């Protein structure tokens, strides 16, 4: 057989191999999007680590924020709202896409409920939990306040004191970021300068992360979340949210102290031994240096746009402390529930085991999500929450949803929530007359459905509100 003959014989085999590869890729893709590969890929239901974040989650610069500017806030027409939404929920094909458990709440900014379907039923909320955490943070903390990471001198020991800065960086970012970032290198430079002024050239190093208490992982989280690198153990002291070279630290406070020790050495201060846990002395005269976090308002904005789990859990602890309780999961969730109750938000069936929504044990009703948005809009201190919501088709976790043909593109602002079999969307749509319509849509029994199909079905409900002529006619008195 000649070389040319062998080439002719090999061609069909090559084409056959290419065909098999295409079939295999298509099969894997179908299995992935349908959820049938979940047991293989994730060893069971997939957690949020298996959901690829949209590119906007890693934006280096803050996009121009779109402020809500509703033309009118008059009473909504319940019949018009029902006509827009109900056909989408009663269509058999769409009902299959949304699963057997579906809750919907639609309200006006005046508090009037105009459409409800199991709105008082509690569902697994996933990341829409962050709306409650954010509201409590803006209610109990001064939006312009900042968290301080500092160093204090105790004898010959420098103690690095964590102040609960969720976005503390190890060193200065090279490019602008969405939030102001304090950094350990700057703190080390300032600390070294203060030590030089005091004539101190050699110190030991301690670190104090005692601002927060209780477990660093919620009992409501899957056992695999921390060891599986889904989330960093919550700490009042960390740098880069405990992540270095793509790996989350199991002890982010110690990792930050190790990094800080290196920076002090770079500044000419000898550090004796390894960093140890320590209690900072209470005397404020001993403070050597400090760096300040972004404002609470900036942190809330970044938390909602990025759906940042770590930042949400840090905010939850600050909420607990601001309410006079402990900076823990329990202290924070108790404070959130109390803040909602005091504001008149319905809390029937509410259960919170964290501030981010990673806990599948969380339960929130659609009327609670809609209620917190409506109340937030009515108060100066919390109204910024609505401006922080991702914009449909344009920013954050909604960047890749509401395509150019959707009526909701640019007119829906909402917080997403996604776990395996769980999808929620809560925010507001601006209708055809410029009237804002607050809504919450929740499903938590769709493990057998393609998640993108379910998301699209939920988005269609929000888009229908944007296309609806539901508000009052401005030309009529």
């Amino acid at each position: 057989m000649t070389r040319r003959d062998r080439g002719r014989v090999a061609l069909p085999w090559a084409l056959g191999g290419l065909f098999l590869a295409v079939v295999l890729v298509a099969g894997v893709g179908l299995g992935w999007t349908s959820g049938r590969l979940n047991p293989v890929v994730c060893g069971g239901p997939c957690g949020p680590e298996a959901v690829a974040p949209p590119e906007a989650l890693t934006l280096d610069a803050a996009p121009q924020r779109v402020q809500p500017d509703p033309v009118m806030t008059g009473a909504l027409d319940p019949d018009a709202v029902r006509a827009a939404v109900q056909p989408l929920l009663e269509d058999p094909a769409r009902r299959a896409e949304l699963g057997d458990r579906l809750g919907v709440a639609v309200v006006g900014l005046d508090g009037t409920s105009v459409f409800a379907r199991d709105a008082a039923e509690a569902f697994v909320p996933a990341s829409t939990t962050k709306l409650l955490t954010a509201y409590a943070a803006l209610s109990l903390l001064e939006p312009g306040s900042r968290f301080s990471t500092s160093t204090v001198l105790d004898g010959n020991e420098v103690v690095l004191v964590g102040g609960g800065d969720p976005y503390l960086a190890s060193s200065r970012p090279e490019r602008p970021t969405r939030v102001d970032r304090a950094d350990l290198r700057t703190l080390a430079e300032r600390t070294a300068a203060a030590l030089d002024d005091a004539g101190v050239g050699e110190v030991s190093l301690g670190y104090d992360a005692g601002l927060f208490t209780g477990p660093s992982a919620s009992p409501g989280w899957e056992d695999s979340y921390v060891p599986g690198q889904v989330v960093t153990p919550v700490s009042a002291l960390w740098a880069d949210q405990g992540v270095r070279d793509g790996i989350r630290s199991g002890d982010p406070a110690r990792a930050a102290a190790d990094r800080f020790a290196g920076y002090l050495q770079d500044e000419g201060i000898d550090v004796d031994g390894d960093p140890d846990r320590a209690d900072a002395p209470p005397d404020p005269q001993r403070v050597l240096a400090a760096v300040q976090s972004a404002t609470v308002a900036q942190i809330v904005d970044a938390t909602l746009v990025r759906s940042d789990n770590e930042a949400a859990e840090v905010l939850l602890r600050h909420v607990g402390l601001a309410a006079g309780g402990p900076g823990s999961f329990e202290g924070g969730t108790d404070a959130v529930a109390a803040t909602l109750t005091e504001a008149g938000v319905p809390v029937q069936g509410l259960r919170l085991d964290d501030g981010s929504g990673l806990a599948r044990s969380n339960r929130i009703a659609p009327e609670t999500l809609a209620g917190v948005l409506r109340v937030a809009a009515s108060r100066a201190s919390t109204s910024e929450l609505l401006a922080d919501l991702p914009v449909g088709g344009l920013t954050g976790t909604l960047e890749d949803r509401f395509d150019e043909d959707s009526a909701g593109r640019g007119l829906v602002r909402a917080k997403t929530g996604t776990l395996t079999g769980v999808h929620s969307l809560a925010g507001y749509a601006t209708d055809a007359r410029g009237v804002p319509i607050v809504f919450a849509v929740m499903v938590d029994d769709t493990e057998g459905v393609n998640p993108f199909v379910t998301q699209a079905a939920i988005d269609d409900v929000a888009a229908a509100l944007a296309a609806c002529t539901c508000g009052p006619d401005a030309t009529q008195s």
Side-chain angles (χ1 to χ4, degrees), residues 63-146:
Q64 183 67 36
R65 293 173 62 191
V66 181
Q67 298 293 336
D69 185 23
V71 174
M72 301 175 61
T73 58
L76 299 172
D77 181 350
D79 292 335
V81 172
R82 188 178 305 107
V85 172
Q86 194 155 306
L88 298 175
L89 306 180
E90 292 184 346
D91 178 74
R94 289 183 182 271
R95 288 296 292 116
E97 295 169 353
L98 294 168
D100 293 331
R101 280 178 46 83
L102 165 67
V104 182
V106 182
V107 302
L109 286 183
D110 61 357
T112 303
S113 174
V114 290
F115 184 88
R117 183 188 183 107
D118 288 337
E121 179 75 17
F123 292 78
V124 181
S127 281
T128 50
T129 303
K130 294 181 177 74
L131 289 173
L132 276 56
T133 305
Y135 174 79
L138 293 174
S139 296
L140 298 179
L141 301 166
E142 171 57 47
S145 62
R146 301 173 185 269

Side-chain angles (χ1 to χ4, degrees), residues 51-66 127 178 300-308 387-402 409-410 412-418 425 455 459:
V51 180
E55 186 177 350
L57 293 185
T58 56
L59 285 175
D60 292 316
Q64 183 67 36
R65 293 173 62 191
V66 181
S127 281
R178 189 175 188 97
V300 168
D301 167 63
T303 299
L304 293 179
V305 170
R306 299 170 175 172
S307 200
D308 189 326
D388 294 337
L389 298 174
V391 182
L394 299 176
T395 64
T397 53
L398 287 182
E399 184 184 32
D400 294 329
R401 294 167 65 167
F402 298 96
R409 185 178 180 84
V412 170
R413 300 191 68 133
K415 181 69 197 75
T416 56
T418 304
L425 190 68
Q455 285 181 356
D459 292 350

Side-chain angles (χ1 to χ4, degrees), residues 52-334:
E55 186 177 350
L57 293 185
T58 56
L59 285 175
D60 292 316
Q64 183 67 36
R65 293 173 62 191
V66 181
Q67 298 293 336
D69 185 23
V71 174
M72 301 175 61
T73 58
L76 299 172
D77 181 350
D79 292 335
V81 172
R82 188 178 305 107
V85 172
Q86 194 155 306
L88 298 175
L89 306 180
E90 292 184 346
D91 178 74
R94 289 183 182 271
R95 288 296 292 116
E97 295 169 353
L98 294 168
D100 293 331
R101 280 178 46 83
L102 165 67
V104 182
V106 182
V107 302
L109 286 183
D110 61 357
T112 303
S113 174
V114 290
F115 184 88
R117 183 188 183 107
D118 288 337
E121 179 75 17
F123 292 78
V124 181
S127 281
T128 50
T129 303
K130 294 181 177 74
L131 289 173
L132 276 56
T133 305
Y135 174 79
L138 293 174
S139 296
L140 298 179
L141 301 166
E142 171 57 47
S145 62
R146 301 173 185 269
F147 307 124
S148 177
T149 306
S150 61
T151 52
V152 298
L153 187 61
D154 187 13
N156 202 48
E157 181 182 46
V158 170
V159 182
L160 174 63
V161 184
D165 180 353
Y167 290 116
L168 180 70
S170 56
S171 58
R172 303 180 192 91
E174 295 181 358
R175 293 179 292 179
T177 58
R178 189 175 188 97
V179 293
D180 298 331
R181 290 183 185 268
D183 68 276
L184 287 177
R185 185 180 290 278
T186 297
L187 182 59
E189 292 171 356
R190 295 175 181 177
T191 301
L195 291 171
D196 286 341
D197 289 344
V200 178
E202 181 177 353
V203 297
S204 60
L205 180 63
Y207 60 96
D208 184 347
L211 179 65
F212 298 159
T213 55
S216 61
S218 169
W221 290 353
E222 301 288 335
D223 292 340
S224 62
Y225 276 5
V226 171
Q229 297 284 297
V230 176
V231 63
T232 303
V234 185
S235 175
L237 173 64
W238 62 25
D240 307 316
Q241 296 189 336
V243 179
R244 186 173 187 180
D245 298 328
I247 304 298
R248 297 184 185 277
S249 172
D251 187 351
R254 171 60 188 268
D258 286 339
R259 186 78 62 93
F260 185 74
Y263 293 152
L264 278 182
Q265 297 272 18
D266 293 342
E267 296 300 318
I269 302 298
D270 291 332
V271 178
D272 182 24
D274 295 327
D276 289 320
R277 289 191 177 273
D279 294 324
D283 185 357
Q285 299 300 319
R286 297 171 181 260
V287 175
L288 293 170
V291 289
Q292 305 298 318
S293 74
T295 66
V296 168
Q298 282 185 312
I299 293 170
V300 168
D301 167 63
T303 299
L304 293 179
V305 170
R306 299 170 175 172
S307 200
D308 189 326
N309 294 320
E310 279 77 14
E313 297 303 346
V314 170
L315 280 175
L316 181 75
R317 278 151 180 73
H318 283 298
V319 165
L321 292 170
S328 63
F329 282 106
E330 185 175 1
T333 54
D334 285 349

